[in-house]
């Protein structure tokens, strides 16, 4: 894969440009968070530092990966995409500054608010996702796009999981949030992955009809994941295990229909297929946890690091190029970043099974994570903070 001919890092950059479109500020900010939270958590666990966290360290780590990192990615992608879907004016300027400020305040308060009132810390923290839903939902409602309503439903359920998590500090709600994250992957990934693959094949004169999607199967997968979340939170172990097997099987059938191996030469496409493959893997691992006593952190890291983080990296790498008016050609080093994030997920799962010892496993997966998102930060900061080369707004 060749590098972009004209280096975007040399383009004039400005802070104001970051607030010209939601993907710019949120992709950059959630990447910085990804680079900060993991090493801070590792140092906290090993007693190197002691942060004045507003919740116990493990819960803070889980929360920031699920509701800090993920919610930033959701805001950047959804508030950018919904403007295209509905043909409405983008959120930008002062409104975007305020929305981003709520997200940032939530991160700061959780990391430093040990002595602050609970209502203040969590009130600010819980305000972000509803604000995103209001912004996107208003546009969807006025455009009468019923197709997008399921995204709003899943986001609402994700927010309910966040409320349960911060008020009860119960890992069942973090697990439920992971399931809802995979439901979002099922919806959004299920749209863009086969669509992008079909377009790529068609452009090269290959058989684009080989890529198959079945709307009924897509909907069944999402509903099975919602049922799985409800069962998991309520503690129905046998039902949860069976639903995990069902959801994983449905997702695997969908992936087989998308024919990911046909686009293996394009990193911006194989990263999507390979990342979504972590969804059925994590669901099967969840079933193994419930039926065979496998470690619970195996499926949760397969879902969090594998499905969620890997897909986020793949999506933001593509969206940042396309919506900034640049050719869909990966900057140098990003293929290695894609490989690194998948290796980080694999090593973390193997560490959970004690196939790799804890300290080497945590250390190597952390370094791979830092390399992957560090490479994105290095290669994409100039893209995100500079104007479109075609002179258009956004």
């Amino acid at each position: 894969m060749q590098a972009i001919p004209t280096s975007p890092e040399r383009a004039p950059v400005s802070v104001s440009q970051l607030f010209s479109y939601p993907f710019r500020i949120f992709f950059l900010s959630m990447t910085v968070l990804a680079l900060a939270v993991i090493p801070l958590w590792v140092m906290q666990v090993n007693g190197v530092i002691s942060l004045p966290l507003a919740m116990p360290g493990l819960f803070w780590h889980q929360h920031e990966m699920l509701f800090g990192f993920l919610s930033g990615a959701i805001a950047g992608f959804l508030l950018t995409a919904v403007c295209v879907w509905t043909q409405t004016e983008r959120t930008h300027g002062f409104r975007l500054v305020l929305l981003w400020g709520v997200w940032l305040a939530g991160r700061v308060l959780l990391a430093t608010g040990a002595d602050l009132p609970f209502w203040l810390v969590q009130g600010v923290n819980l305000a972000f996702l509803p604000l995103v839903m209001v912004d996107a939902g208003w546009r969807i409602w006025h455009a009468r796009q019923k197709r997008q309503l399921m995204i709003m439903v899943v986001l609402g359920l994700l927010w309910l999981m966040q409320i349960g998590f911060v008020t009860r500090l119960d890992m069942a709600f973090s697990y439920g949030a992971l399931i809802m994250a995979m439901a979002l992957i099922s919806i959004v990934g299920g749209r863009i992955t086969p669509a992008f693959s079909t377009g790529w094949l068609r452009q090269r004169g290959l058989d684009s009809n080989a890529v198959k999607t079945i709307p009924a199967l897509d909907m069944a997968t999402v509903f099975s994941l919602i049922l799985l979340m409800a069962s998991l939170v309520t503690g129905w172990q046998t039902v949860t295990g069976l639903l995990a097997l069902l959801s994983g099987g449905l997702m695997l059938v969908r992936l087989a229909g998308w024919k990911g191996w046909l686009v293996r030469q394009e990193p911006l496409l194989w990263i999507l297929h390979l990342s979504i493959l972590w969804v059925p893997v994590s669901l099967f691992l969840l079933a193994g946890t419930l039926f065979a006593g496998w470690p619970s952190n195996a499926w949760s890291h397969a879902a969090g690091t594998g499905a969620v983080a890997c897909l986020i990296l793949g999506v933001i790498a593509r969206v940042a190029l396309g919506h900034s008016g640049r050719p869909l050609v990966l900057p140098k080093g990003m293929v290695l970043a894609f490989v690194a994030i998948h290796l980080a997920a694999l090593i973390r799962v193997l560490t959970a099974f004690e196939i790799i010892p804890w300290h080497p496993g945590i250390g190597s997966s952390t370094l791979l994570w830092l390399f992957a998102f560090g490479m994105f930060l290095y290669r994409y900061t100039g893209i995100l903070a500079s104007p479109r080369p075609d002179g258009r707004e956004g």
Side-chain angles (χ1 to χ4, degrees):
M1 178 60 64
Q2 295 179 345
I4 296 175
T6 305
S7 176
E9 291 83 12
R10 295 195 211 121
V13 300
S14 73
V15 173
S16 62
Q17 192 65 36
L18 290 172
F19 295 96
S20 64
Y21 230 108
F23 77 90
R24 293 179 178 274
I25 186 60
F26 280 112
F27 287 178
L28 184 63
S29 300
M30 49 144 279
T31 301
V32 173
L33 181 69
L35 291 169
V37 168
I38 297 297
L40 285 175
W41 175 73
V42 171
M43 289 188 287
Q44 180 89 1
V45 167
N46 288 284
V48 177
I49 60 174
S50 180
L51 297 170
L53 303 174
M55 57 176 61
L58 177 60
F59 292 100
W60 173 76
H61 164 66
Q62 291 181 339
H63 184 280
E64 290 306 272
M65 288 294 93
L66 276 170
F67 304 110
F69 174 70
L70 175 60
S71 66
I74 289 171
F77 174 82
L78 182 61
L79 297 185
T80 297
V82 77
C83 296
V84 177
W85 298 339
T86 61
Q87 296 298 301
T88 54
E89 176 65 20
R90 70 195 188 281
T91 299
H92 66 287
F94 185 64
R95 284 180 57 199
L96 183 54
V97 170
L98 290 178
L99 182 63
W100 174 76
V102 173
W103 179 86
L104 180 63
R107 314 286 63 77
V108 173
L109 288 173
L110 281 176
T112 62
D115 298 325
L116 294 175
F118 175 86
W119 64 265
L120 174 63
V121 174
Q122 300 303 349
V124 173
N125 184 43
L126 290 171
F128 181 70
L129 273 178
L131 290 173
V132 172
M133 287 187 284
V134 167
D135 190 308
W138 179 87
R139 300 168 191 277
I140 290 170
W141 177 262
H142 281 272
R144 301 290 191 267
Q145 291 192 351
K146 296 180 180 180
R147 181 171 183 254
Q148 318 302 347
L149 292 179
M150 185 54 70
I151 295 178
M152 295 295 101
V153 171
V154 173
L155 280 179
L157 293 172
L158 179 64
W159 185 56
L160 289 178
M161 293 300 100
Q162 184 184 16
I163 293 173
F165 183 75
V166 302
T167 56
R168 298 190 182 185
L169 293 182
D170 186 342
M171 291 180 66
F173 292 100
S174 69
Y175 292 156
L178 274 175
I179 301 299
M180 287 301 91
M182 289 191 285
L184 282 174
I185 289 173
S186 179
I187 297 171
V188 177
R191 293 179 187 176
I192 65 175
T193 304
F196 291 164
S197 299
T198 297
W200 187 87
L201 291 169
R202 185 182 298 115
Q203 288 173 4
R204 284 152 185 79
L206 301 174
D207 184 14
S208 61
N209 293 323
V211 178
K212 304 292 184 183
T213 59
I214 304 173
L217 180 60
D218 299 345
M219 190 60 69
T221 305
V222 175
F223 277 115
S224 71
L225 287 167
I226 292 174
L227 291 174
L228 173 60
M229 177 274 294
S231 178
L232 192 154
V233 170
T234 53
W236 294 357
Q237 182 168 320
T238 301
V239 174
T240 302
L242 293 173
L243 284 170
L245 291 173
L246 173 63
S247 300
L250 291 173
M251 196 70 232
L252 204 57
V253 171
R254 293 175 73 197
L255 277 165
W258 300 346
K259 306 290 195 304
W261 54 88
L262 297 179
V263 297
R264 60 187 178 275
Q265 294 179 339
E266 175 49 66
L268 282 168
L269 292 176
W270 65 247
I271 182 66
L272 304 180
H273 288 271
L274 190 59
S275 299
I276 297 175
L277 181 59
W278 279 104
V279 172
V281 168
S282 63
L283 292 170
F284 294 148
L285 288 174
L286 171 57
T289 298
L290 297 170
F291 291 142
W294 294 353
S296 60
N297 60 345
W299 86 264
S300 63
H301 282 96
T305 308
V308 175
C310 290
L311 187 65
I312 284 175
L313 186 60
V315 169
I316 66 177
R318 183 186 183 100
V319 170
L321 293 174
H323 281 278
S324 65
R326 291 173 171 83
L328 295 177
V329 180
L330 272 177
K332 185 178 181 180
M334 283 304 298
V335 174
L336 287 177
F338 288 170
V339 173
I341 194 63
H342 279 282
L343 283 177
L346 178 61
I347 290 172
R348 190 63 187 86
V349 171
L350 294 177
T351 302
F353 280 104
E354 299 182 351
I355 296 172
I356 298 176
W358 195 83
H359 284 290
I362 292 294
S364 57
S365 61
T366 298
L367 289 174
L368 287 164
W369 173 282
L370 294 176
F371 172 82
F373 284 99
M375 181 60 70
F376 178 87
L377 187 67
Y378 173 61
R379 290 298 182 186
Y380 278 82
T381 297
I383 294 172
L384 295 170
S386 60
R388 291 175 59 109
D390 57 12
R392 294 171 57 190
E393 292 183 343

